Structures are given as structure tokens and as C-alpha cells.
Amino acid sequence: MTLVYRFPRVGIQAFDWPAPVQPIAQSRNLLNGRRYVTAAKRERRVCSLTVSGLSRTGAGYMEVLKDYLRGGINLVRLTSIRNPLLEADVPDAQRRLTVINWTQGETDYPLSWQIGSGPDPLAWVTGTALPATVVTDSAGFPAIQISNLPPNRLVARVGEFVEGRQDLVVRQVRRVARNAWSNASGVAVVRVTRAFTLGTIVGANLAAEDEGVFEVVGNLPRAPQPPYRDFSYNWEFQEVFADEVTGGFEEVDPWR
């Protein structure tokens, strides 16, 4: 098992969560110059972020995380950070369902009821249920059709993420490929960069977050600390998959 530590809640100064990177092999025919391109390695995402040393006790959390990572042997789970300046101007409560947590001290727990002796708890959620269906839009691109949205509004902006849910646990996240508007009935067809592959989608969340497991690229960051001024930890990450490590992942959240 490889330990995967969730990244702590710290003050982020800059964050880069790009589309997946696909290395390619390229050659050209010497006679006619024709270009030949094939995928060379497995597609994976890369990510970089800059953490404030002073905001939200960032330096302390970063030094503790470096201890946990053991020089880069262990991994981190990262979640994309939303930028309100790049989002559609529709409240979250009208674009998504959110599972409600309750807090004891500094620890968050899912708020749920148990029905009788059944194995499945009844989760408490807030927001709006958005029924969804996987479709192809009028131009032939992969899309997801979402209903129960506010009518005649810009409900998703290009570059945001949309989540398709099979249930409250199983989900897929895709990037929105163009601005999406709802019609007078509150229905929007949201074009995505890649088709959803879940067998069944019962609902969607707009303004969603993407996430993944990453390894540190290069050495763990060092951050010289000037007196009375902020300083930064600069991280570079590359995605790792569970089938690439012996025994898979063991998730750890030491900040709860």
C-alpha cells in the first residue's frame, strides 16, 4: 500500500489545474514530409500550486506534509480550486447538491440518519436536485442534458467542471467545453470535453470540483522565511494511478 495524504486547507496564492497531458511520439516521412503521431505514454494530469507560508498557518502545515511524504515516497490527493471570477453567475444552491456535514471541534463528519436496520444511511443534502442525461449536442459533441435549472441563465461557463452522479459516491467529472445557457424550461445541454462513461447518471452538479492523486515532481519545496513578510512553497505534481503502485492506495487525512 502507498499512503495518500489529503492536501491540507491552507492559503493558496496560485493554482494550476490543466487538462490531461498526453505525451506523443512524432515522426515524419523523409520522402513526402507526412507527419505520423501516436500516443507515447499514459495520459496523466500535472498540477502546480503556490502556498502562502503565513496565511492559515501554511508554513506549519507544509512542513508537516513534507514529513508525511517522506521525500516523495508517499502521495497527495488534490482537489481543484474554484475561481468565482471564472464561474457562471448562478448561486451554488441552484446548480448543485451538497452533502451536509456536522462539525465536532475541527473535524467534519457526514450528517446522516439510519433507516431501521438497513445498511445504507440517509444522507442530508442541500441545494437543488438536477436530473441529467448523457447526450450528444446539436454539433455532435459529447454533452450532458441537465434540467431543473433556473430558466434563461448562463448556468455553466467554459472551463468549469460538471459532475455526473450515479449516486452520492460514484461520480465522474468532466470539463465544460463552452458556455451553457438554460432555456425557458430550465433545461441546458452542457458540452463537455470528454463523454461520460458511467452506466447510469441520476443527477448532475455544476460548479463541481475535480480531484486526483499526485506525486511530487522533483525535490520537496523549500521556503526561506524572511522576517515580517510572507513567503511561499511552490509545489509541482504529476498524477499517479492506483494500478501503478504495489497494493494500491491507502487514503489518509491527518488534518481532521
Side-chain angles (χ1 to χ4, degrees):
M1 283 279 188
T2 297
L3 298 180
V4 178
Y5 290 89
R6 183 166 289 277
F7 204 80
R9 298 175 182 176
V10 291
I12 303 296
Q13 296 175 329
F15 190 87
D16 175 35
W17 190 278
V21 173
Q22 173 65 73
I24 62 173
Q26 179 175 293
S27 62
R28 289 191 180 273
N29 187 301
L30 294 177
L31 297 178
N32 58 25
R34 182 172 296 171
R35 176 176 178 259
Y36 299 95
V37 181
T38 58
K41 296 180 181 179
R42 189 172 187 174
E43 182 179 88
R44 64 186 75 239
R45 293 170 291 184
V46 294
C47 175
S48 63
L49 57 85
T50 302
V51 176
S52 164
L54 296 182
S55 176
R56 303 183 70 174
T57 325
Y61 281 115
M62 293 298 92
E63 295 301 329
V64 172
L65 178 62
K66 286 161 63 176
D67 280 349
Y68 285 142
L69 294 181
R70 296 181 57 204
I73 293 175
N74 295 322
L75 307 173
V76 294
R77 177 170 290 280
L78 298 175
T79 302
S80 64
I81 296 175
R82 295 167 54 191
N83 185 342
L85 299 178
L86 300 176
E87 294 184 349
D89 187 22
V90 177
D92 278 1
Q94 297 178 340
R95 292 205 293 168
R96 62 186 297 174
L97 276 181
T98 302
V99 177
I100 300 175
N101 293 333
W102 61 277
T103 300
Q104 180 177 342
E106 296 184 354
T107 303
D108 295 332
Y109 299 92
L111 181 62
S112 60
W113 280 355
Q114 194 78 27
I115 303 177
S117 58
D120 299 322
L122 174 64
W124 284 31
V125 296
T126 184
T128 303
L130 302 176
T133 305
V134 175
V135 297
T136 301
D137 71 9
S138 58
F141 290 96
I144 184 170
Q145 180 175 292
I146 304 173
S147 57
N148 203 28
L149 290 162
N152 301 317
R153 297 288 299 276
L154 176 62
V155 294
R157 194 180 293 274
V158 58
E160 288 191 272
F161 290 107
V162 55
E163 173 188 89
R165 295 184 290 102
Q166 184 170 301
D167 50 43
L168 290 176
V169 177
V170 179
R171 67 183 196 128
Q172 283 183 341
V173 176
R174 297 291 186 262
R175 193 183 287 274
V176 177
R178 63 179 298 185
N179 290 348
W181 295 79
S182 59
N183 61 19
S185 300
V187 177
V189 176
V190 181
R191 181 184 295 180
V192 293
T193 56
R194 297 171 184 235
F196 286 93
T197 58
L198 290 176
T200 302
I201 289 184
V202 299
N205 280 330
L206 294 165
E209 292 88 18
D210 197 13
E211 65 176 37
V213 174
F214 294 80
E215 64 182 348
V216 177
V217 176
N219 296 324
L220 299 184
R222 299 179 61 187
Q225 303 180 16
Y228 309 113
R229 290 190 292 116
D230 201 0
F231 51 97
S232 301
Y233 291 80
N234 298 308
W235 295 86
E236 296 287 338
F237 296 102
Q238 178 175 270
E239 188 171 20
V240 177
F241 300 98
D243 60 10
E244 296 176 324
V245 300
T246 302
F249 295 153
E250 180 180 344
E251 303 276 350
V252 181
D253 186 353
W255 324 113
R256 298 186 65 171

